[in-house]
Amino acid sequence: MQPPCAHEDTGLQLQALLEGQNYGAAAGDGTRCPAVPVPRNSLAVRDCLVVAVLCFGNLINFMDWFIVPGILLDIQKYFGLSDGKTGLLQTVFTLCYMLAAPIFGYLGDRYNRKIILGAGILFWSGVTLGSSFITESYYRIFVLSRGLVGIGTASYSTIAPTIIADLFEEGKRTTVLSIFYIFIPVGSGCGYMLAAGMAQSTGDWHWAFRVTPCMGGLALVLLILLVPPRIQRRTARHRALSISGTRRGADETPGVPRTAKTTWCQDVGSLAKNCSFVWSSLGLTAMAFVTGALGMWVPLFLYRAQLVQGIVPPCLQESCNSSNSLIFGGITVGTGIVGVVAGAEAARRLRKMYNKADPLICATSMFSSALCLYTALMLAQTSILSTFIFIAFGELFLSVNWAVVTDILLYVVTPRRQSTAIALQILLSHLLGDAGSPYLIGAVSELPASGAFLRGKLPQTETQNCSFGLPGPTLQITYIAHTGSRTQTLFFTCMKPLIL
């Protein structure tokens, strides 16, 4: 007669191997099977494949974010939009994204994350493809489609980082997260270049919305084939330590049973009392305010600056010059890779010498970014080349923050609340950040008195743009880049003594 373990479901044993556990199922008579040893090489390969799939999905995610800014002038002319209505496209996208994030955070902490990710990819890819067939008479439907894409992408941004956090321990987690977050600037830059390139090559901007859905279909297939249905949420020592190295609590300590499941309101209340989480989220909010404004309007801002200087002729046909989007996209990709890697490496090295180095890295980089972006926008009236150079340095320092900010959250929030924490951080940063800044710039640029108003509110160096002839976005981007980055520097500096 075979022992009870011989009849064990082989699929369940295979799942145990995929989860990275030593699996021993209880037999019917109460005996336990011997633990199954898991080869380290197979786990390492599995983890690398999972990370590769998630990074590919993150690339597509942020490409869909910035397709519209890459062909903004074409869309504006096609639908006959004012600057205010043009900025509304990104505002609706961001509002839907941030409102959906807490819902997916709640679901991700309680249900199968692989299913949620797959459904999100399928949904936003389908809506993106459908939006490419909308005609000029249906602008409101086009706005609605951007909102639906925002809902789909929220599922990915909320849940994917928590899967990576469950796969790796402290020494490797920052490095892997930096690789994952490299695809924020890389995807953003590729979105600009894809949109501009497709519009230029085909003469029709609609084709820009037909490439990423194909990539999304491939990502969905890879997700189904390579990502395990469940990945165990470990409570290893890196989860039991905060940035300062102090113990967080018994329910996070290895070997101590976890407490009962908590409600969403209890999770939110606990996070609200976590000072490190609150301050880092406020810092990220200020950064989102800046990046939302710059990401939406910089290509159009550069085109108008060149137009005033007589470098380019006015765009009279439907397919406009997209060279600024191509250049800005290339800058975003290059500086994003260097910035994220530099930020992660600086955090890894400095943390060994000073355990509160992370907020200082964020504050220093944002202060440097504020100076560079402010200089770039003020030089636009005299030198486009200098503007591009300082924009590149500004984006470089901006990209230093991506992996470090997320790593701060993963240090100071318990594992069972991490999806909720990421969702709330998304909600806060977009609600008070880039949800309003693109529309704000477009709306102010339409005010006849915007120039006169800002002459009385800003220093003389900022109001010189009024005589330069650029519209309201010039003034507003300059002001936002200066005050928003300075505010984030303050938040991260204040967070330093409050790290738990």
Side-chain angles (χ1 to χ4, degrees):
M1 180 179 177
Q2 291 180 323
C5 295
H7 300 285
E8 185 62 58
D9 181 31
T10 56
L12 193 54
Q13 290 181 0
L14 177 60
Q15 178 59 36
L17 290 174
L18 291 175
E19 299 292 358
Q21 308 172 61
N22 291 330
Y23 174 77
D29 58 1
T31 60
R32 291 185 64 87
C33 304
V36 179
V38 182
R40 290 188 177 183
N41 290 339
S42 63
L43 285 178
V45 172
R46 189 285 307 263
D47 293 347
C48 290
L49 289 175
V50 171
V51 171
V53 172
L54 295 178
C55 288
F56 181 58
N58 205 32
L59 172 71
I60 304 168
N61 186 358
F62 281 90
M63 286 179 68
D64 280 324
W65 270 66
F66 288 95
I67 286 179
V68 168
I71 48 175
L72 193 61
L73 187 57
D74 291 292
I75 293 176
Q76 191 175 35
K77 291 180 66 65
Y78 182 79
F79 289 105
L81 304 177
S82 63
D83 282 350
K85 288 186 177 181
T86 304
L88 190 63
L89 287 171
Q90 201 74 351
T91 294
V92 169
F93 176 94
T94 307
L95 284 172
C96 293
Y97 174 87
M98 71 177 190
L99 292 175
I103 299 174
F104 289 115
Y106 175 86
L107 296 175
D109 281 335
R110 291 160 177 81
Y111 301 102
N112 191 303
R113 291 176 288 179
K114 178 179 177 178
I115 294 177
I116 298 172
L117 287 179
I121 293 174
L122 179 63
F123 180 76
W124 96 63
S125 297
V127 174
T128 300
L129 180 61
S131 66
S132 67
F133 298 100
I134 297 175
T135 61
E136 65 269 21
S137 303
Y138 297 96
Y139 165 71
R140 292 184 179 180
I141 296 180
F142 187 74
V143 174
L144 176 62
S145 72
R146 295 308 297 165
L148 295 177
V149 172
I151 293 174
T153 56
S155 65
Y156 201 89
S157 299
T158 304
I159 295 173
T162 66
I163 295 178
I164 293 178
D166 289 338
L167 290 173
F168 299 94
E169 295 184 356
E170 180 180 3
K172 296 181 180 178
R173 187 179 61 185
T174 301
T175 301
V176 177
L177 278 174
S178 69
I179 295 172
F180 179 78
Y181 280 105
I182 278 176
F183 289 92
I184 291 181
V186 169
S188 303
C190 288
Y192 284 109
M193 292 189 290
L194 169 68
M198 291 301 295
Q200 190 171 355
S201 60
T202 63
D204 183 3
W205 61 268
H206 291 85
W207 282 97
F209 292 91
R210 296 168 185 169
V211 177
T212 54
C214 299
M215 299 173 65
L218 176 60
L220 181 59
V221 173
L222 294 175
L223 181 76
I224 295 172
L225 296 177
L226 300 178
V227 178
R230 293 187 181 275
I231 296 176
Q232 182 187 9
R233 300 192 172 195
R234 307 169 193 160
T235 51
R237 60 182 177 87
H238 76 284
R239 299 301 188 96
L241 298 176
S242 67
I243 291 179
S244 62
T246 57
R247 287 280 169 182
R248 293 279 301 160
D251 60 323
E252 296 171 82
T253 306
V256 178
R258 286 180 55 178
T259 57
K261 287 186 176 181
T262 57
T263 65
W264 186 79
C265 292
Q266 289 174 324
D267 291 345
V268 173
S270 176
L271 292 170
K273 298 175 183 178
N274 188 328
C275 295
S276 300
F277 169 75
V278 171
W279 281 99
S280 63
S281 298
L282 290 174
L284 185 63
T285 299
M287 188 175 80
F289 193 80
V290 177
T291 54
L294 296 176
M296 183 69 177
W297 291 105
V298 160
L300 185 57
F301 161 77
L302 292 170
Y303 163 76
R304 290 176 176 176
Q306 293 171 333
L307 186 64
V308 170
Q309 294 183 41
I311 299 176
V312 296
C315 177
L316 301 178
Q317 70 276 12
E318 185 175 316
S319 182
C320 301
N321 189 333
S322 55
S323 60
N324 289 318
S325 294
L326 289 171
I327 296 173
F328 184 64
I331 290 174
T332 303
V333 171
T335 57
I337 294 174
V338 176
V340 172
V341 172
E345 185 63 17
R348 187 182 68 84
R349 292 178 179 272
L350 295 178
R351 202 180 293 146
K352 296 177 181 178
M353 298 180 288
Y354 184 55
N355 56 17
K356 296 181 181 179
D358 288 16
L360 290 180
I361 292 173
C362 294
T364 303
S365 64
M366 282 309 301
F367 179 75
S368 302
S369 176
L371 295 178
C372 292
L373 292 176
Y374 186 82
T375 304
L377 295 168
M378 294 308 299
L379 288 175
Q381 57 183 312
T382 57
S383 174
I384 295 296
L385 177 60
S386 299
T387 301
F388 273 120
I389 292 174
F390 278 98
I391 285 177
F393 279 108
E395 286 202 287
L396 175 65
F397 289 117
L398 200 67
S399 299
V400 168
N401 291 270
W402 290 118
V404 182
V405 171
T406 303
D407 208 23
I408 289 174
L409 182 148
L410 296 174
Y411 270 120
V412 301
V413 176
T414 65
R416 67 174 184 271
R417 293 191 178 113
Q418 285 176 356
S419 291
T420 298
I422 292 175
L424 288 177
Q425 193 173 78
I426 289 173
L427 175 63
L428 178 64
S429 62
H430 292 299
L431 177 64
L432 303 179
D434 57 348
S437 57
Y439 176 74
L440 173 65
I441 290 174
V444 172
S445 72
E446 298 174 351
L447 297 177
S450 62
F453 171 79
L454 290 172
R455 281 192 183 94
K457 297 294 183 180
L458 300 179
Q460 179 62 32
T461 55
E462 294 180 347
T463 57
Q464 288 173 356
N465 286 321
C466 297
S467 60
F468 172 43
L470 290 182
T474 303
L475 301 168
Q476 290 304 301
I477 290 177
T478 303
Y479 183 71
I480 287 171
H482 179 61
T483 58
S485 299
R486 184 175 58 188
T487 303
Q488 196 208 23
T489 303
L490 174 63
F491 282 138
F492 278 117
T493 304
C494 292
M495 188 183 72
K496 172 184 164 289
L498 295 174
I499 294 295
L500 297 179

